[in-house]
Amino acid sequence: MDRKKLELDVGTRAQSIARLKTQQYQTRKNDEFQAIGHEIERYENEIRKIEDEELELMVEADKVKAELSAEEKKAAAVKESITRQTKDLEAKSTILQSRLEELTKERAHRVKAGKEIVSCENCGRILYDAA
């Protein structure tokens, strides 16, 4: 947006220079001719300054684009890493869930057998078959 604004400013000043040059050739007095010449020179200096600002904005935009590209690559790498970690955790969760079911069934058979005293691993209560 800033570049567009600067381009519009340059266009406006260029039009003013063209208008002033036309006036300069139509004037008959030397003082007026020189005054218009100074005005044209002032506009030309302003155009140079604006074009320098525009170049600086272009350089800054290029830097920002490069930084954006680097950050997008980093984000993609992090996203890929997170996806891999999520898959690994889901696989571990599945394994642990099946192991938990195995242990629960095993404990239930041991309780039903009644051959040994079975305690809860979490709270320490003695488990028995009420049937």
Side-chain angles (χ1 to χ4, degrees), residues 74-86:
K74 286 181 186 177
V78 169
K79 188 175 181 179
E80 181 182 326
S81 173
I82 289 172
T83 302
R84 271 188 282 117
Q85 290 176 359
T86 303

Side-chain angles (χ1 to χ4, degrees), residues 74-119:
K74 286 181 186 177
V78 169
K79 188 175 181 179
E80 181 182 326
S81 173
I82 289 172
T83 302
R84 271 188 282 117
Q85 290 176 359
T86 303
K87 286 180 182 179
D88 290 345
L89 289 175
E90 287 174 354
K92 287 179 183 179
S93 175
T94 304
I95 292 170
L96 289 174
Q97 188 64 34
S98 65
R99 179 73 176 137
L100 177 64
E101 290 173 7
E102 270 179 39
L103 291 174
T104 304
K105 287 179 184 178
E106 181 184 315
R107 185 176 70 185
H109 291 8
R110 286 189 1 226
V111 169
K112 285 186 180 181
K115 294 181 181 176
E116 60 181 285
I117 296 176
V118 180
S119 300

Side-chain angles (χ1 to χ4, degrees), residues 59-77:
V59 169
E60 187 176 331
D62 289 342
K63 287 180 185 177
V64 169
K65 284 179 183 178
E67 290 174 5
L68 177 64
S69 176
E71 292 300 321
E72 284 176 343
K73 287 179 184 177
K74 286 181 186 177

Side-chain angles (χ1 to χ4, degrees), residues 2-106:
D2 289 339
R3 282 182 46 205
K4 291 286 185 188
K5 182 180 176 240
L6 293 175
E7 287 174 7
L8 288 174
D9 288 346
V10 168
T12 303
R13 283 171 175 74
Q15 289 174 353
S16 296
I17 288 173
R19 183 179 42 83
L20 287 172
K21 283 185 178 181
T22 304
Q23 284 180 352
Q24 190 178 30
Y25 292 120
Q26 293 175 350
T27 186
R28 294 180 184 197
K29 295 181 181 177
N30 194 25
D31 292 339
E32 285 182 33
F33 186 84
Q34 289 178 353
I36 293 174
H38 290 297
E39 194 69 19
I40 290 172
E41 187 177 324
R42 184 177 65 84
Y43 277 125
E44 288 173 344
N45 288 334
E46 287 178 7
I47 287 175
R48 277 194 284 284
K49 287 179 185 176
I50 291 172
E51 287 174 343
D52 289 344
E53 288 179 37
E54 189 174 2
L55 288 175
E56 289 173 10
L57 285 174
M58 290 173 140
V59 169
E60 187 176 331
D62 289 342
K63 287 180 185 177
V64 169
K65 284 179 183 178
E67 290 174 5
L68 177 64
S69 176
E71 292 300 321
E72 284 176 343
K73 287 179 184 177
K74 286 181 186 177
V78 169
K79 188 175 181 179
E80 181 182 326
S81 173
I82 289 172
T83 302
R84 271 188 282 117
Q85 290 176 359
T86 303
K87 286 180 182 179
D88 290 345
L89 289 175
E90 287 174 354
K92 287 179 183 179
S93 175
T94 304
I95 292 170
L96 289 174
Q97 188 64 34
S98 65
R99 179 73 176 137
L100 177 64
E101 290 173 7
E102 270 179 39
L103 291 174
T104 304
K105 287 179 184 178
E106 181 184 315

